[in-house]
Amino acid sequence: LELYYLWVGDHAGAEWVVATLQKLTSSIDVPPLARITGKIVEAVYQVRMARHDLCLRTIAEGLEIAHSTGILVWNSQLFSQGVANALNAGDAAGAEIYLQKMASTLVESRRVDACMYHYNIAWAAMLQEDPARALRYAESALRFAKEAGTPLHQGLCHLALAQVLHARGERQSAVPHLTEARRIATAMHSRILEFMYLLLQAEFAFDTDDERAGLVALHAALTLGKEQGYVNFYWWRPKVMSRLCAKALEAGLEMDYVQGVIRRRKLTPDPAFLYSDQWPWAIKIHALGHFSIIKDGRPIQSGVKAQRKPLDLLQALIALGGRDVPETQLSDLLWPDAAGDAAHRVFLTTLQRLRQLLGYKEALVLADGRLTLDSRYAWVDISAFDHLLNQAEAAEREGRSEAACHLRIKALSLYRGHFSGQDTAPAVSLRERLRDKYLRHSEALGRYWEQTGDWPRALECYLKALEVDDLAEVFYQRLMVVYQHLDRRADALAAYERCGKTLAAALGIKPSAASQALYRALTK
């Protein structure tokens, strides 16, 4: 019954069976063979649900019963689940240990065992990016699955071969395997096989630049995955899933479910998605405007006095670029009076406190005396802002004005104020560079709306820019032009008056000749 539920992808039914079995097999009177079988059932379910630690414990308990009673007939199945669990968890060394144990007990006349042994080796080879080795073992796995006559294993092996052949560039050869897997999934009414098929269909479409077909297949897969609560499957490949999740987030497909899978499986973002704020980052750092840190979706209280130095270290690291920043440079900024070993000790202590504050040690990498904020774990608004505007500039150079417009909108929405780091030389330099970039691109965006005749959006753009920096005279000038086109002369004059008062109060100067010329033109 458990296998039935798992084969058709009914996790609710599988959970009920596991819970019932746990009660039934807890009695000391239950024969050891039944208890071992119960452990196998639990382990298979835990692999599917990606409960890695619990699965390891269950396998160990099953093997202990087998060892103490001499009933070893099911050891190969326990080893097989150990391999699958390790591969799903990214533990290549653990998978190799269980594969060796499978090999030591392998009897090829037991076709399902032989199938899963070869299937697991092929899976490990694909994770190691060795499709030639994966092909040999996937073909053997399919042969054993056909001899066993078990449809689920045949479906899994056809999907595996489709992936291997696609990775080898033999895309036409992959299609029949994908088609046969779909046929088996339909005949079995197996939602889990259909889910895997749809994800592969999406992956293959994206690889051939067929975005529309890819999104259609991906949406169907995610809808099914959300309904059934799927977070794992055989031949899980983190890089592929990260890319598919990134595509889904970008298209707005099943956002809550996708973000939940990312968190549950601890996926790191696809390189092309490193700067998106849609990814459910472990750590999100806002340094434009008010400085804040969000860990696992919740803000860290940064007002505690004991946290001041760790936060100073983080701000200094960001101000210096965030990557490969020399420890000595950070120490000179934060502890100018300390020297040598004393500076090194206080640096390490502060770094440890910062890691504790962030909750993710791997987010801060110290190597060869240089500190890096790992972009796979921590999103920083400054980096995203910079990256998006660099892309906008590239799009502008290529004559893609509309693309540049969309990139600017996304980037400028991140700029909630000037860089909030300490007033050190690097921080001041970064603050001025970002401010200049913000002003230039805000003006470029506003002028784009002017050129397209969208005066209301140009007006909104300039007003937002002045909310961030009311000393940027160019935006008062553009406001006067936009108000004039909107036949709002009184507002245009008011913009000039505001400009004059603001500049006089803050800088003790009058509006420039260009602003005065616009004003005279309005008063004629």
Side-chain angles (χ1 to χ4, degrees):
L1 185 59
E2 173 70 6
L3 287 177
Y4 165 78
Y5 282 132
L6 289 174
W7 283 20
V8 300
D10 184 345
H11 286 178
E15 184 176 9
W16 172 80
V17 171
V18 167
T20 305
L21 271 175
Q22 286 174 336
K23 293 178 182 177
L24 290 172
T25 58
S26 61
S27 170
I28 196 170
D29 297 329
V30 173
L33 181 59
R35 289 165 61 204
I36 294 169
T37 308
K39 294 300 178 184
I40 294 171
V41 166
E42 287 182 45
V44 174
Y45 174 70
Q46 288 153 5
V47 166
R48 185 72 66 82
M49 300 306 293
R51 295 173 181 168
H52 305 305
D53 292 342
L54 188 56
C55 185
L56 277 177
R57 192 172 73 198
T58 301
I59 291 168
E61 289 170 352
L63 291 171
E64 173 57 30
I65 298 169
H67 176 73
S68 62
T69 60
I71 301 174
L72 309 178
V73 67
W74 283 125
N75 278 12
S76 59
Q77 286 291 324
L78 289 165
F79 295 150
S80 180
Q81 299 315 309
V83 177
N85 185 62
L87 291 175
N88 271 311
D91 180 6
E96 182 59 33
I97 290 170
Y98 277 114
L99 276 170
Q100 291 174 7
K101 291 180 178 180
M102 280 192 80
S104 68
T105 61
L106 185 65
V107 178
E108 289 198 349
S109 61
R110 300 180 62 173
R111 297 295 192 254
V112 172
D113 287 358
C115 168
M116 292 309 296
Y117 173 68
H118 288 83
Y119 179 87
N120 285 334
I121 293 177
W123 181 6
M126 277 296 283
L127 290 174
Q128 294 162 3
E129 299 183 0
D130 186 355
R133 185 167 187 256
L135 179 62
R136 293 196 303 273
Y137 282 95
E139 288 176 337
S140 296
L142 179 59
R143 175 171 57 83
F144 283 117
K146 287 180 175 179
E147 291 175 5
T150 49
L152 177 79
H153 296 93
Q154 292 175 47
L156 291 174
C157 291
H158 280 296
L159 290 172
L161 275 166
Q163 292 174 73
V164 173
L165 291 166
H166 181 81
R168 287 168 56 89
E170 302 174 36
R171 291 173 177 170
Q172 290 304 314
S173 299
V175 172
H177 290 289
L178 201 59
T179 303
E180 181 61 12
R182 179 65 185 274
R183 185 196 67 77
I184 292 171
T186 302
M188 287 181 64
H189 303 289
S190 175
R191 285 159 286 188
I192 189 65
L193 278 180
E194 183 182 0
F195 177 67
M196 294 170 68
Y197 160 81
L198 288 168
L199 288 177
L200 277 189
Q201 192 180 41
E203 178 193 348
F204 293 177
F206 290 135
D207 283 346
T208 55
D209 296 322
D210 191 344
E211 290 289 316
R212 184 180 176 278
L215 289 175
V216 169
L218 183 57
H219 192 193
L222 297 176
T223 300
L224 179 58
K226 179 183 178 181
E227 288 174 356
Q228 301 300 325
Y230 295 154
V231 294
N232 195 24
F233 47 85
Y234 284 111
W235 271 52
W236 173 273
R237 290 184 291 156
K239 287 183 180 179
V240 173
M241 285 306 300
S242 290
R243 180 187 177 209
L244 293 178
C245 286
K247 289 282 189 182
L249 293 176
E250 199 171 35
L253 305 178
E254 302 293 354
M255 300 284 281
D256 290 342
Y257 168 65
V258 172
Q259 290 177 343
V261 170
I262 291 169
R263 290 192 185 98
R264 174 77 177 272
R265 301 308 311 275
K266 297 181 180 179
L267 292 175
T268 53
D270 182 86
F273 216 65
L274 278 176
Y275 301 99
S276 173
D277 62 347
Q278 295 173 327
W279 192 269
W281 299 91
I283 302 163
K284 293 184 75 173
I285 300 169
H286 293 276
L288 293 170
H290 177 68
F291 189 84
S292 64
I293 304 171
I294 298 173
K295 181 179 74 172
D296 296 330
R298 295 183 178 182
I300 291 177
Q301 298 300 320
S302 57
V304 181
K305 186 176 180 181
Q307 296 175 352
R308 188 182 66 191
K309 272 302 178 184
L311 292 177
D312 286 349
L313 174 59
L314 180 59
Q315 289 181 341
L317 177 62
I318 292 170
L320 290 166
R323 296 193 63 82
D324 294 324
V325 179
E327 175 191 331
T328 52
Q329 193 174 4
L330 290 164
S331 295
D332 289 344
L333 275 178
L334 298 173
W335 305 282
D337 298 329
D341 290 342
H344 180 61
R345 285 195 299 272
V346 73
F347 170 80
L348 291 180
T349 299
T350 307
L351 176 59
Q352 182 180 4
R353 289 168 58 196
L354 178 57
R355 282 172 167 162
Q356 290 172 347
L357 179 65
L358 296 180
Y360 289 87
K361 181 181 178 181
E362 57 269 36
L364 289 160
V365 181
L366 181 62
D368 299 324
R370 293 175 177 270
L371 186 62
T372 294
L373 184 62
D374 195 326
S375 57
R376 294 173 302 170
Y377 298 95
W379 176 91
V380 183
D381 57 0
I382 290 172
S383 300
F385 174 79
D386 249 346
H387 175 76
L388 289 167
L389 290 185
N390 290 342
Q391 283 189 318
E393 290 171 354
E396 198 82 79
R397 288 193 297 270
E398 295 165 4
R400 298 184 294 116
S401 297
E402 188 174 350
C405 168
H406 291 309
L407 288 164
R408 284 188 174 115
I409 291 172
K410 191 179 292 187
L412 296 177
S413 69
L414 298 173
Y415 201 98
R416 303 179 301 170
H418 305 316
F419 175 55
S420 57
Q422 302 295 318
D423 287 331
T424 59
V428 171
S429 174
L430 176 62
R431 186 178 299 128
E432 288 305 309
R433 181 180 70 79
L434 294 173
R435 175 182 177 274
D436 178 68
K437 202 165 188 175
Y438 173 79
L439 297 179
R440 285 190 293 106
H441 283 274
S442 291
E443 183 181 359
L445 180 60
R447 286 186 179 273
Y448 172 83
W449 295 128
E450 289 185 46
Q451 291 165 7
T452 58
D454 196 336
W455 301 103
R457 295 189 79 168
L459 174 63
E460 180 186 11
C461 176
Y462 297 140
L463 287 173
K464 283 184 177 179
L466 284 172
E467 286 179 10
V468 172
D469 194 329
D470 63 357
L471 295 177
E473 188 176 356
V474 64
F475 296 120
Y476 294 108
Q477 296 169 0
R478 302 318 307 163
L479 276 180
M480 293 162 71
V481 171
V482 171
Y483 278 134
Q484 193 172 11
H485 276 278
L486 291 172
D487 198 22
R488 293 168 60 177
R489 181 172 173 274
D491 288 325
L493 293 171
Y496 178 79
E497 294 295 332
R498 178 186 168 193
C499 175
K501 290 178 180 178
T502 302
L503 294 178
L507 304 174
I509 62 174
K510 294 180 180 180
S512 67
S515 297
Q516 292 180 36
L518 285 170
Y519 175 73
R520 286 194 296 271
L522 286 167
T523 54
K524 285 182 179 179

